[in-house]
Amino acid sequence: MKTLEAQVISSEDLLKHWQGHRALTRRLIEIFPEKDFFEFSIGGMRPFSKLVDELLAIGGPAMKGIVNRDAQPYTEGTEKLIFKAQYLEKWDEATAEINKYWEELSIEDFNETFNLFGQYEFPIIQNILYFIDNEVHHRGQGYVYLRALNIEPPFFWER
């Protein structure tokens, strides 16, 4: 019989933590000027819209794949979004999808290995932590862009 190690953070608190990051990223999307959201970059980095495309391709689809144990390949930017408002709508849809699939995870699932997108074979908890880390990383790029545009970003701790 498999036993679980002592838990440091509950499933509910981990989701709350992730959704706090998502709420902050959403605020960054909102304050980006429309044109700059799609065009502004520094040092060859992708515009923030392209970074958000990546985050949208991970969050909801990854959670669906994990819950259904369906290792669909990673696909990004299949929908051609041309307005920031469309990104915000997709962001909200992904947030709801994450919440929906999260409810289907059991505590035992977090330690199971899953081959996410058919290429990242790790315990589910490590994949989820990657989703959060990746979002924080790209949001940091967004902060740099906003500062370069002389726009004050929200405080990073206001999640």
Side-chain angles (χ1 to χ4, degrees):
M1 181 171 160
K2 192 175 183 181
T3 60
L4 297 175
E5 291 186 31
Q7 189 173 341
V8 175
I9 186 172
S10 71
S11 173
E12 294 80 17
D13 285 343
L14 181 57
L15 177 61
K16 183 179 176 183
H17 177 78
W18 184 12
Q19 292 298 16
H21 281 291
R22 289 186 58 78
L24 183 53
T25 301
R26 188 185 196 288
R27 288 175 48 210
L28 252 66
I29 296 168
E30 288 175 329
I31 64 176
F32 252 90
E34 186 85 21
K35 182 178 186 294
D36 294 322
F37 180 72
F38 292 97
E39 297 177 8
F40 189 80
S41 71
I42 296 174
M45 293 189 296
R46 296 173 284 171
F48 198 57
S49 64
K50 294 299 181 193
L51 301 176
V52 174
D53 280 337
E54 178 182 320
L55 299 175
L56 288 171
I58 293 173
M63 287 303 300
K64 180 179 180 182
I66 286 170
V67 166
N68 294 326
R69 301 304 194 270
D70 184 11
Q72 291 294 313
Y74 175 81
T75 56
E76 181 180 319
T78 55
E79 290 186 74
K80 298 300 176 205
L81 307 177
I82 59 171
F83 298 107
K84 196 172 66 166
Q86 293 172 302
Y87 277 85
L88 291 167
E89 182 179 330
K90 291 296 179 187
W91 193 262
D92 294 342
E93 289 171 8
T95 297
E97 188 175 20
I98 289 165
N99 289 338
K100 172 189 167 193
Y101 287 109
W102 193 273
E103 291 299 317
E104 298 182 40
L105 285 177
S106 71
I107 195 68
E108 292 81 14
D109 288 332
F110 286 93
N111 288 320
E112 286 185 22
T113 298
F114 176 68
N115 192 7
L116 182 67
F117 300 126
Q119 55 186 337
Y120 304 106
E121 191 151 355
F122 299 106
I124 289 169
I125 185 64
Q126 289 183 18
N127 280 311
I128 291 169
L129 292 172
Y130 167 77
F131 306 157
I132 298 167
D133 291 346
N134 188 52
E135 181 172 335
V136 170
H137 162 71
H138 288 314
R139 190 175 62 241
Q141 290 173 281
Y143 271 70
V144 170
Y145 290 173
L146 288 173
R147 293 260 185 220
L149 292 165
N150 292 315
I151 298 169
E152 182 75 24
F155 295 119
F156 74 89
W157 59 84
E158 290 182 346
R159 290 183 269 132

